[in-house]
Amino acid sequence: MKTAIIGATGYGGIELIRLLSNHPSVEQIAVFSSSQQGVKMTDSYPHISERFFESLQDISIEALQGFDVIFLSTPPGVSAEWSSKLSAAAKVIDLSGDLRINDPAEYEKWYGRETASKEILNKAVYGLSEWNREQIKEAQIIANPGCYPTAVLLGMIPLVKSGAVDAATIIIDAKSGTTGAGRSASAMTHYSEMNDNLKIYKVNEHKHIPEIEQELAGFLNDTVTITLSTHLVPMTRGMMATMYASVPEGFDEQKIKEILESSYKNTPFVRVRPHKQMPSTREVNASNFCDIGWVYDERTKRLTLVSVIDNLVKGASGQAVQNMNIMFGLEETAGLNGLPVFP
Amino acid sequence: MKTAIIGATGYGGIELIRLLSNHPSVEQIAVFSSSQQGVKMTDSYPHISERFFESLQDISIEALQGFDVIFLSTPPGVSAEWSSKLSAAAKVIDLSGDLRINDPAEYEKWYGRETASKEILNKAVYGLSEWNREQIKEAQIIANPGCYPTAVLLGMIPLVKSGAVDAATIIIDAKSGTTGAGRSASAMTHYSEMNDNLKIYKVNEHKHIPEIEQELAGFLNDTVTITLSTHLVPMTRGMMATMYASVPEGFDEQKIKEILESSYKNTPFVRVRPHKQMPSTREVNASNFCDIGWVYDERTKRLTLVSVIDNLVKGASGQAVQNMNIMFGLEETAGLNGLPVFP
Amino acid sequence: MKTAIIGATGYGGIELIRLLSNHPSVEQIAVFSSSQQGVKMTDSYPHISERFFESLQDISIEALQGFDVIFLSTPPGVSAEWSSKLSAAAKVIDLSGDLRINDPAEYEKWYGRETASKEILNKAVYGLSEWNREQIKEAQIIANPGCYPTAVLLGMIPLVKSGAVDAATIIIDAKSGTTGAGRSASAMTHYSEMNDNLKIYKVNEHKHIPEIEQELAGFLNDTVTITLSTHLVPMTRGMMATMYASVPEGFDEQKIKEILESSYKNTPFVRVRPHKQMPSTREVNASNFCDIGWVYDERTKRLTLVSVIDNLVKGASGQAVQNMNIMFGLEETAGLNGLPVFP
Amino acid sequence: MKTAIIGATGYGGIELIRLLSNHPSVEQIAVFSSSQQGVKMTDSYPHISERFFESLQDISIEALQGFDVIFLSTPPGVSAEWSSKLSAAAKVIDLSGDLRINDPAEYEKWYGRETASKEILNKAVYGLSEWNREQIKEAQIIANPGCYPTAVLLGMIPLVKSGAVDAATIIIDAKSGTTGAGRSASAMTHYSEMNDNLKIYKVNEHKHIPEIEQELAGFLNDTVTITLSTHLVPMTRGMMATMYASVPEGFDEQKIKEILESSYKNTPFVRVRPHKQMPSTREVNASNFCDIGWVYDERTKRLTLVSVIDNLVKGASGQAVQNMNIMFGLEETAGLNGLPVFP
């Protein structure tokens, strides 16, 4: 397969290169950037020296012909513009948030910019691999989920769908490593002030909120309004969503266990832990796994559910490759077989 | 003042030494241990070389005469046994959990051991300095609060007390640096597996739960049952409690602001931030501050309240010194004036 | 290929499992331990759940029949005893230090215990892949190099061999992540005291000193005595050896460049950087690369040479797999193709 | 005393505020900046809220009247321009490198800009407190030492001065926490790429080299040329200089011990450790200590000397306050009595 990455210089891009380089069906990885034409990838990333030899090309329809799949790992607005043109010739997997929100008003409210065209939004399939596999198979454009939504939805969908939690009570306390904030140096992620420190940011204001609400609503057949706090943890990769919800009458530990386990028994990357065995983020480090731990508390009739992913893999580039595999009828785990790097 | 520390070799003890060494009214700091009699403190802690010259003494009633105040920084069970005897001659400040829980059944359920005698429990005053100042002034024995309860209660008491949150909806997602787990090496805090990792532990099972519930109940005049998750963050010091609760009709952003600000306007160590300006743990590092940030969300009518402390200072030894100051009629900030060490 | 790992519960073992699991020629990985017979590997390492299903077996000659290669990742003394017996039926790769030191007196001096038999020492080939490839091909037993020796020797051999440095002036300032200290919890690697801290240990007393001196001597045809300091850096993986040596008359920047580049032009894992472009440890993270940076200083006629590896990969298990590949005539990079995990 | 800080928004400035705030003789701390006039310090640094109330003032001769001492914590060039004017009315302590290098040619070579005037350079006293105490007492302007020079010189001066090391063989492998790189966000100190990583930079090219060589030459009565590597360690504060040098005939472990101990027996901040007991950086964290460990190796006749400081305290602001104390005849430890913050 011939693949192209637009926006290859960010962390999403370099992680795609890592994964696609070891993918048995990938024979080409071309890299594109709007601003660094001609620059060798190894100038930015010496860790791929002697293994990856491509230089960045300018983005143009001509140059982007002949690929089987094109990944967009770009800032807001780019894929709204480009994905339609590109999808004529190739499958498109968009890692940005541009195509994830169906309701233009919601997109505009949370993103503060104009949404993509209705036509593209209609074509784009939300790429939560485990839950939309059938649509992904047929899709020409994938809106690859955000990192927080991936962690949250994989944990919550089974329970919301089956009524095992009261959706109106969902509270999500999410924590991320700093790579989620991208490669640009900033005061927020300056080592001297991020090290040995824990920060909370964008409380109830994160762009991923409408994405989570939209997808949960789909399984609930009703609107849902969540509370979401996001924290920055002094670690490079990894994301944990600690989720709380009330459990209605009629559900208990045993039923929750059955719901979770049956939901994921045939999926290669979601691992449901035994009751009370909680995962840590490092246990999925550099892998495409999502590990789910959970505790049902008899005292409060509340469920505490924990979902951990590597934000750059299952939360971004890994899930993109998983979606590519599904779209092209490949083994779902192709190129994603690596065990977590632990410790 | 002549001070003594029992259990001086742990992190609570060495932090007491740091704070008392710079306290203007302290002229002596004697150190005691059950197991290392005769050992110089600098053998365990070379960082105090050439400043602190005491050796550990064996614990006995005789050796513990002549002190104005005795701090117990000891494992469960020790202060249940010793505080009564010691309090005949000196004021006692107990940093363990032994004397915090009034209901013996609750203590035994959560701590898995027999409680202290009714007589001591009756004498012991819960040392949450900002809320029990008057009783602390008169107390002979202080049950110094735990780190999680300190962070949680300083945030929640004003709101529970005034009815600005529905106590039945309180959910606490707490995060701690690793020093909370003490000095003993363990798999949980082995550097290679704690670094660059985020762990969740003791979900709804932490010993600090009954302490929080008991104290909130006192301000609510009703029982309260909380949900508490505790996480271990890859950092040495620092604690953040992210708390969620529903806000009843009749309360809004402005009222919450007034409640929080009026509650702490005359306290030297609790700093209420402006709406939406959230504190990070490093901003109270090595200081006795508790910083409170908060966001009221109109969409969900929920309050997200964040409280940060240094778990070893306001969460343990600093609050103990603050209580000592109150008990002895000293300036409340004596010995605790240091600005946070930032970055 | 059928492989077995003795001492699979340590970091060397679990890293072997990670690498061998993705090796195209490996069909079995059996795990053995002296103390945890019957325990499932996933009990110790939940990160391999749903991918690795083996339980630990007791070590016995019978149980260890039928394997093509047996890895020993064991404490001192074990392979001295076992490698001879095991090597009758299988190729043996020993990751311990037992078989690395040819001179029994040196071994006993630095290791404080009796050496292995002369017969095994004679059979064992020092597995520095890049420099002993021909002997490794024929070997039945490999003494896999230590992490510090690997980093140091890959940097220094070309220069010592060609006379481009004065061997008597070699000073090595080495720094390691904490996984080099193993999985056992200890005061040295307790998170609370290792985080945000830099330690120096075993100055001129590290067991890897005789190993480095022996191997350099072989290329120098003379004895050599080095100065080696080892530091523990607050990071999980990674090792950097910063090396200093005087450059004799007749050598200059250009010659050093030629020596380094020609030495490694046909090796897949050693990457020589351009003059003054220095590598960081993260640039080889979780990979089998050794990256070499260097600066020749005209002012002092000294060379500063920096070599970085992942101590668990090229410094241990990765090199072991590389040696397995060489021994069995496989592609040298088989199972080791993963790009570094960066960031 | 009335004090002023020019360049108060950097890490040197905020650390001065922390130290001066607790100094018993300081009654005022005014803050100045070239670019943020009118901004409250707490806007940049919320951790000093409710304790420090000053806003930044514009730098002008008029505004800078009436202070006893003025600290300059400014980028290159500022103090070259301002220190002469300011020193007419107040004592000046310059934390920049502008006034440290006596030889204009050397300054211009390493700093790449024009040096300060001969008149100021002549007036400025190099503020290495322990070795220049008498001159500091009389000085109107202090050139406060750099962090690397402080760590290196405190370790090396006693030995160079007494001939216990061969100065021509000195090799310095220095490691720093990231605060040495300042507060400006940069790719070098971006958390995602600095965490869990070890970097080496500016090999033999660091501006602190001529400063070290100049000062050592003064004690040697001869020129000296050193090799210096600088590393960035994933930690916030702390610096370790690991130094190597050959020990001439006539010196041994006992003599080195006597030289080091006698050099510092009357200094409050330099602590010489027993032979082979090595300090870690955390053991001086947030304090003005410099701890020195050392190992004499009989095999190689080399000395390995390790010096650790907190780069922001003894390596910058703490030493500046120490110099202020000496200049004004105060207790040398005034305001600097805090024990290290450990862990």
Side-chain angles (χ1 to χ4, degrees):
Chain A
M1 284 176 57
K2 293 177 190 295
T3 70
I5 304 170
I6 303 182
T9 58
Y11 290 150
I14 192 67
E15 189 72 356
L16 278 169
I17 291 174
R18 181 173 77 86
L19 297 169
L20 295 173
S21 293
N22 264 338
H23 193 292
S25 306
V26 171
E27 73 210 60
Q28 186 191 352
I29 308 166
V31 288
F32 294 82
S33 154
S34 59
S35 59
Q36 302 185 55
Q37 194 183 354
V39 174
K40 293 165 71 173
M41 278 298 293
T42 50
D43 288 354
S44 294
Y45 289 108
H47 75 281
I48 54 174
S49 296
E50 304 191 14
R51 284 293 184 277
F52 190 81
F53 304 95
E54 300 290 316
S55 294
L56 290 158
Q57 303 177 51
D58 202 22
I59 306 170
S60 72
I61 287 294
E62 297 69 40
L64 282 155
Q65 297 302 309
F67 295 101
D68 299 296
V69 60
I70 298 170
F71 296 90
L72 287 142
S73 182
T74 45
V78 177
S79 48
E81 184 194 340
W82 282 84
S83 43
S84 183
K85 306 180 213 173
L86 297 174
S87 68
K91 303 243 181 196
V92 169
I93 300 176
D94 176 27
L95 283 80
S96 85
D98 278 10
L99 311 183
R100 295 179 196 152
I101 309 297
N102 300 328
D103 178 345
E106 280 285 288
Y107 181 88
E108 284 160 24
K109 173 180 158 197
W110 292 89
Y111 282 75
R113 59 186 306 137
E114 215 182 322
T115 189
S117 74
K118 202 166 194 86
E119 176 234 336
I120 314 177
L121 292 179
N122 283 343
K123 275 175 74 173
V125 168
Y126 188 70
L128 190 68
S129 318
E130 282 72 15
W131 290 95
N132 294 343
R133 198 177 278 112
E134 294 311 310
Q135 296 158 268
I136 293 166
K137 280 183 190 168
E138 311 302 325
Q140 192 67 11
I141 305 182
I142 294 291
N144 210 58
C147 48
Y148 288 117
T150 298
V152 169
L153 294 170
L154 289 176
M156 272 294 154
I157 285 175
L159 302 159
V160 163
K161 186 167 168 275
S162 59
V165 298
D166 175 357
T169 65
I170 296 174
I171 287 172
I172 302 158
D173 190 283
K175 299 97 175 166
S176 178
T178 61
T179 46
R183 199 182 204 201
S184 299
S186 72
M188 181 78 165
T189 53
H190 188 45
Y191 185 87
S192 297
E193 298 185 20
M194 186 66 238
N195 182 41
D196 217 40
N197 198 0
L198 176 65
K199 301 181 178 180
I200 178 167
Y201 71 106
K202 287 196 195 162
V203 176
N204 294 320
E205 293 180 353
H206 200 287
K207 283 175 191 173
H208 288 167
I209 291 174
E211 186 178 337
I212 294 168
E213 292 180 346
Q214 165 184 290
E215 296 303 311
L216 287 182
F219 288 94
L220 186 67
N221 294 319
D222 196 359
T223 60
V224 56
T225 309
I226 59 162
T227 288
L228 173 69
S229 288
T230 44
H231 301 74
L232 224 44
V233 174
M235 60 186 188
T236 303
R237 288 162 177 255
M239 170 166 287
M240 180 184 285
T242 314
M243 298 174 261
Y244 303 91
S246 296
V247 175
E249 287 278 327
F251 291 90
D252 58 10
E253 182 190 320
Q254 183 56 29
K255 288 215 172 125
I256 292 167
K257 177 179 150 76
E258 285 163 16
I259 290 165
L260 288 171
E261 291 183 353
S262 66
S263 295
Y264 294 117
K265 69 168 182 285
N266 294 319
T267 63
F269 295 119
V270 181
R271 300 187 293 196
V272 177
R273 298 286 182 96
H275 192 220
K276 295 195 176 177
Q277 189 203 95
M278 305 306 267
S280 70
T281 57
R282 195 83 186 171
E283 289 166 4
V284 298
N285 181 42
S287 83
N288 201 48
F289 287 112
C290 172
D291 280 16
I292 294 175
W294 57 286
V295 177
Y296 172 65
D297 185 25
E298 270 292 347
R299 287 197 338 139
T300 56
K301 310 290 182 206
R302 284 198 192 109
L303 174 68
T304 303
L305 192 97
V306 168
S307 166
V308 300
I309 59 172
D310 183 317
N311 56 304
L312 292 181
V313 190
K314 185 62 179 168
S317 304
Q319 186 156 239
V321 173
Q322 185 181 359
N323 285 330
M324 178 189 86
N325 290 340
I326 296 170
M327 294 167 97
F328 287 87
L330 306 171
E331 191 73 37
E332 191 165 330
T333 56
L336 299 168
N337 270 316
L339 288 177
V341 176
F342 182 94
Chain B
M1 282 175 58
K2 292 175 192 296
T3 69
I5 304 170
I6 302 181
T9 56
Y11 289 151
I14 192 68
E15 190 72 356
L16 277 169
I17 290 174
R18 181 173 78 85
L19 297 169
L20 295 173
S21 292
N22 264 338
H23 193 293
S25 305
V26 171
E27 73 210 60
Q28 187 192 351
I29 308 168
V31 287
F32 293 82
S33 156
S34 59
S35 60
Q36 302 185 54
Q37 192 182 356
V39 174
K40 291 164 73 173
M41 278 299 292
T42 50
D43 288 355
S44 294
Y45 289 109
H47 75 280
I48 54 173
S49 296
E50 304 191 14
R51 285 294 185 275
F52 189 81
F53 305 95
E54 300 289 316
S55 294
L56 290 159
Q57 304 177 50
D58 201 22
I59 306 170
S60 71
I61 287 295
E62 298 68 41
L64 282 156
Q65 296 303 308
F67 294 100
D68 298 296
V69 60
I70 297 169
F71 296 90
L72 287 142
S73 184
T74 45
V78 177
S79 49
E81 183 194 340
W82 281 86
S83 45
S84 182
K85 305 180 214 172
L86 297 174
S87 69
K91 304 244 182 194
V92 170
I93 300 176
D94 177 27
L95 282 81
S96 85
D98 279 9
L99 312 183
R100 295 178 197 153
I101 308 299
N102 299 327
D103 179 346
E106 279 287 287
Y107 180 88
E108 285 160 24
K109 173 180 158 198
W110 292 88
Y111 282 75
R113 57 186 307 139
E114 216 182 322
T115 189
S117 74
K118 201 164 193 87
E119 176 234 335
I120 315 178
L121 291 179
N122 283 343
K123 275 174 75 173
V125 168
Y126 189 70
L128 189 68
S129 317
E130 282 71 15
W131 290 96
N132 294 343
R133 198 177 278 110
E134 294 311 310
Q135 294 159 269
I136 293 166
K137 278 183 192 168
E138 310 303 324
Q140 192 67 11
I141 306 181
I142 295 291
N144 209 60
C147 49
Y148 288 116
T150 297
V152 169
L153 294 170
L154 289 175
M156 272 294 154
I157 285 175
L159 301 160
V160 163
K161 185 165 169 277
S162 60
V165 297
D166 175 356
T169 65
I170 297 173
I171 287 172
I172 302 158
D173 191 284
K175 299 97 175 166
S176 178
T178 60
T179 46
R183 198 181 204 201
S184 299
S186 72
M188 180 78 166
T189 53
H190 188 46
Y191 185 86
S192 296
E193 297 185 22
M194 186 66 237
N195 182 41
D196 217 39
N197 197 359
L198 176 63
K199 302 181 179 181
I200 179 168
Y201 70 106
K202 286 193 194 166
V203 176
N204 294 320
E205 292 182 351
H206 200 287
K207 283 175 191 172
H208 288 167
I209 291 174
E211 186 178 336
I212 294 168
E213 292 182 345
Q214 165 184 290
E215 296 303 311
L216 287 182
F219 288 93
L220 187 66
N221 293 320
D222 196 0
T223 59
V224 56
T225 309
I226 59 163
T227 288
L228 173 69
S229 288
T230 44
H231 302 72
L232 224 45
V233 174
M235 60 186 188
T236 303
R237 287 164 176 253
M239 171 166 285
M240 179 183 285
T242 314
M243 297 173 262
Y244 304 90
S246 297
V247 174
E249 287 277 326
F251 292 90
D252 59 10
E253 181 190 320
Q254 184 56 32
K255 288 216 172 124
I256 291 167
K257 179 179 148 76
E258 286 163 14
I259 289 165
L260 288 171
E261 291 183 351
S262 66
S263 294
Y264 294 115
K265 69 169 183 282
N266 293 319
T267 63
F269 294 117
V270 181
R271 302 187 292 196
V272 177
R273 299 285 182 93
H275 191 221
K276 296 194 177 179
Q277 189 205 94
M278 304 308 265
S280 70
T281 57
R282 195 81 184 174
E283 289 167 5
V284 298
N285 181 42
S287 82
N288 201 48
F289 286 112
C290 172
D291 280 16
I292 294 174
W294 57 285
V295 177
Y296 173 65
D297 185 24
E298 271 292 346
R299 286 196 339 139
T300 56
K301 309 291 182 205
R302 284 198 193 111
L303 175 68
T304 302
L305 192 98
V306 169
S307 167
V308 300
I309 58 172
D310 183 317
N311 56 304
L312 293 181
V313 190
K314 186 61 178 170
S317 304
Q319 186 156 239
V321 172
Q322 187 181 359
N323 285 330
M324 177 188 87
N325 291 340
I326 296 172
M327 293 166 98
F328 287 87
L330 306 171
E331 191 72 37
E332 191 165 330
T333 56
L336 299 169
N337 269 316
L339 289 176
V341 176
F342 181 94
Chain C
M1 284 176 57
K2 293 175 191 295
T3 69
I5 304 170
I6 302 181
T9 58
Y11 289 150
I14 191 68
E15 190 72 356
L16 278 168
I17 290 174
R18 181 173 78 86
L19 297 169
L20 295 173
S21 292
N22 265 337
H23 193 292
S25 306
V26 171
E27 72 208 60
Q28 186 191 353
I29 308 167
V31 288
F32 293 82
S33 156
S34 59
S35 59
Q36 301 186 55
Q37 193 184 354
V39 174
K40 292 164 72 174
M41 278 299 292
T42 51
D43 289 353
S44 293
Y45 289 109
H47 75 280
I48 54 174
S49 296
E50 303 191 13
R51 285 294 184 277
F52 190 81
F53 304 94
E54 300 289 317
S55 295
L56 290 159
Q57 303 177 51
D58 201 23
I59 307 170
S60 72
I61 286 295
E62 296 70 38
L64 282 156
Q65 297 303 308
F67 294 101
D68 298 297
V69 59
I70 297 169
F71 296 91
L72 287 141
S73 184
T74 45
V78 177
S79 49
E81 184 194 339
W82 282 86
S83 45
S84 182
K85 306 180 215 172
L86 298 174
S87 68
K91 303 242 182 197
V92 169
I93 300 177
D94 177 28
L95 283 81
S96 85
D98 279 9
L99 313 183
R100 297 178 195 150
I101 308 299
N102 300 328
D103 178 345
E106 278 286 287
Y107 181 88
E108 284 160 26
K109 172 179 158 198
W110 292 88
Y111 282 74
R113 57 185 306 137
E114 215 181 322
T115 190
S117 74
K118 202 164 193 85
E119 177 233 336
I120 314 178
L121 292 179
N122 283 344
K123 274 174 76 172
V125 168
Y126 189 70
L128 190 68
S129 319
E130 282 72 15
W131 290 95
N132 293 343
R133 199 177 278 112
E134 294 311 310
Q135 296 158 270
I136 293 166
K137 279 182 192 168
E138 310 301 325
Q140 191 68 11
I141 305 182
I142 294 292
N144 209 59
C147 48
Y148 287 117
T150 298
V152 169
L153 293 170
L154 289 175
M156 271 296 154
I157 285 175
L159 302 160
V160 163
K161 186 166 168 275
S162 60
V165 297
D166 175 356
T169 65
I170 296 174
I171 286 172
I172 303 158
D173 190 284
K175 300 96 174 166
S176 177
T178 60
T179 45
R183 200 182 201 200
S184 299
S186 72
M188 181 78 166
T189 54
H190 188 46
Y191 185 86
S192 296
E193 298 186 21
M194 185 67 238
N195 181 43
D196 218 38
N197 197 1
L198 176 64
K199 301 182 179 179
I200 178 169
Y201 70 107
K202 286 195 194 161
V203 176
N204 294 320
E205 293 182 353
H206 201 288
K207 283 175 191 172
H208 288 167
I209 291 174
E211 186 178 337
I212 295 168
E213 292 181 346
Q214 165 185 290
E215 296 302 312
L216 287 182
F219 288 94
L220 187 66
N221 293 321
D222 196 359
T223 60
V224 55
T225 308
I226 60 164
T227 288
L228 173 71
S229 288
T230 45
H231 302 72
L232 223 46
V233 174
M235 60 186 187
T236 303
R237 287 163 178 255
M239 171 168 284
M240 180 184 285
T242 314
M243 298 173 262
Y244 304 91
S246 296
V247 174
E249 287 277 327
F251 291 91
D252 58 11
E253 182 190 321
Q254 184 56 30
K255 289 217 171 124
I256 291 167
K257 178 180 150 76
E258 286 163 16
I259 290 165
L260 287 171
E261 291 183 351
S262 66
S263 295
Y264 294 115
K265 70 169 181 286
N266 293 319
T267 64
F269 295 118
V270 180
R271 302 187 293 197
V272 177
R273 300 285 183 94
H275 192 220
K276 296 195 176 178
Q277 189 204 96
M278 305 308 265
S280 69
T281 56
R282 194 83 185 173
E283 289 166 4
V284 297
N285 181 41
S287 82
N288 202 47
F289 287 112
C290 172
D291 280 16
I292 293 174
W294 57 285
V295 177
Y296 173 65
D297 186 24
E298 271 292 347
R299 287 195 339 138
T300 56
K301 310 290 183 206
R302 284 198 192 111
L303 174 68
T304 302
L305 191 98
V306 168
S307 168
V308 300
I309 58 171
D310 183 318
N311 55 304
L312 292 181
V313 189
K314 186 61 178 168
S317 304
Q319 186 156 240
V321 172
Q322 186 181 358
N323 285 329
M324 177 188 87
N325 291 340
I326 296 171
M327 293 166 97
F328 287 87
L330 306 171
E331 191 72 38
E332 190 164 332
T333 57
L336 299 169
N337 270 315
L339 288 176
V341 176
F342 180 95
Chain D
M1 283 174 59
K2 293 176 191 295
T3 69
I5 304 170
I6 303 181
T9 58
Y11 290 151
I14 192 67
E15 189 72 356
L16 278 168
I17 290 173
R18 181 174 78 85
L19 297 170
L20 294 172
S21 292
N22 264 336
H23 193 292
S25 305
V26 171
E27 74 209 61
Q28 188 191 351
I29 308 167
V31 288
F32 293 82
S33 156
S34 60
S35 60
Q36 302 186 53
Q37 193 182 356
V39 174
K40 292 164 73 173
M41 277 298 292
T42 51
D43 288 355
S44 294
Y45 290 108
H47 74 280
I48 55 174
S49 295
E50 304 192 14
R51 286 292 185 276
F52 190 82
F53 305 94
E54 300 289 316
S55 294
L56 290 159
Q57 303 177 51
D58 202 22
I59 306 170
S60 72
I61 286 295
E62 297 69 39
L64 282 155
Q65 297 303 307
F67 294 101
D68 299 296
V69 61
I70 297 169
F71 296 90
L72 287 143
S73 183
T74 46
V78 178
S79 50
E81 183 194 340
W82 281 86
S83 45
S84 183
K85 306 179 213 172
L86 297 173
S87 68
K91 303 244 181 195
V92 170
I93 299 176
D94 176 27
L95 282 80
S96 85
D98 278 9
L99 312 183
R100 297 179 196 151
I101 309 298
N102 300 328
D103 178 346
E106 280 285 288
Y107 181 88
E108 285 159 24
K109 172 180 160 199
W110 292 87
Y111 282 75
R113 58 186 306 137
E114 214 182 323
T115 189
S117 74
K118 200 162 193 89
E119 177 234 335
I120 313 176
L121 291 179
N122 283 342
K123 273 175 76 173
V125 168
Y126 189 71
L128 190 68
S129 317
E130 282 72 14
W131 289 96
N132 294 343
R133 198 177 278 112
E134 294 311 310
Q135 293 158 271
I136 294 166
K137 279 182 191 168
E138 310 302 326
Q140 193 67 11
I141 305 180
I142 294 291
N144 210 59
C147 48
Y148 288 117
T150 297
V152 169
L153 294 170
L154 289 175
M156 271 294 155
I157 285 175
L159 302 160
V160 163
K161 186 167 168 276
S162 59
V165 297
D166 175 356
T169 65
I170 296 173
I171 287 172
I172 302 158
D173 190 284
K175 299 98 174 167
S176 178
T178 60
T179 46
R183 199 181 203 201
S184 299
S186 72
M188 180 78 165
T189 53
H190 188 45
Y191 185 86
S192 297
E193 297 186 22
M194 186 66 237
N195 181 42
D196 217 39
N197 197 0
L198 175 65
K199 301 181 178 179
I200 178 168
Y201 70 107
K202 286 194 193 163
V203 177
N204 294 320
E205 291 180 353
H206 200 287
K207 283 175 191 173
H208 287 168
I209 291 174
E211 186 178 336
I212 294 168
E213 291 181 346
Q214 166 184 288
E215 296 303 312
L216 286 183
F219 288 94
L220 186 66
N221 294 319
D222 196 0
T223 60
V224 55
T225 309
I226 60 164
T227 288
L228 173 69
S229 288
T230 45
H231 302 73
L232 225 44
V233 174
M235 60 185 188
T236 303
R237 289 163 177 253
M239 171 167 284
M240 180 184 284
T242 314
M243 298 174 261
Y244 304 90
S246 297
V247 175
E249 286 278 326
F251 291 90
D252 59 10
E253 182 190 319
Q254 184 56 31
K255 287 215 172 125
I256 291 167
K257 178 179 148 78
E258 285 163 16
I259 289 164
L260 288 171
E261 291 183 352
S262 66
S263 294
Y264 293 116
K265 69 169 184 283
N266 294 319
T267 64
F269 294 118
V270 181
R271 301 187 293 196
V272 177
R273 298 286 183 95
H275 191 221
K276 296 194 176 179
Q277 189 203 96
M278 305 307 264
S280 70
T281 57
R282 195 82 184 172
E283 288 167 3
V284 298
N285 181 42
S287 82
N288 201 48
F289 287 111
C290 172
D291 280 15
I292 293 175
W294 57 286
V295 176
Y296 173 64
D297 185 25
E298 271 292 347
R299 286 196 339 140
T300 56
K301 310 289 181 206
R302 284 198 193 111
L303 175 68
T304 302
L305 191 97
V306 169
S307 167
V308 300
I309 58 172
D310 183 317
N311 56 304
L312 292 181
V313 190
K314 185 61 179 170
S317 304
Q319 187 156 239
V321 172
Q322 186 181 359
N323 286 329
M324 178 188 88
N325 290 341
I326 296 171
M327 292 166 98
F328 287 87
L330 306 171
E331 191 73 37
E332 192 165 331
T333 56
L336 299 169
N337 269 315
L339 289 177
V341 176
F342 182 94

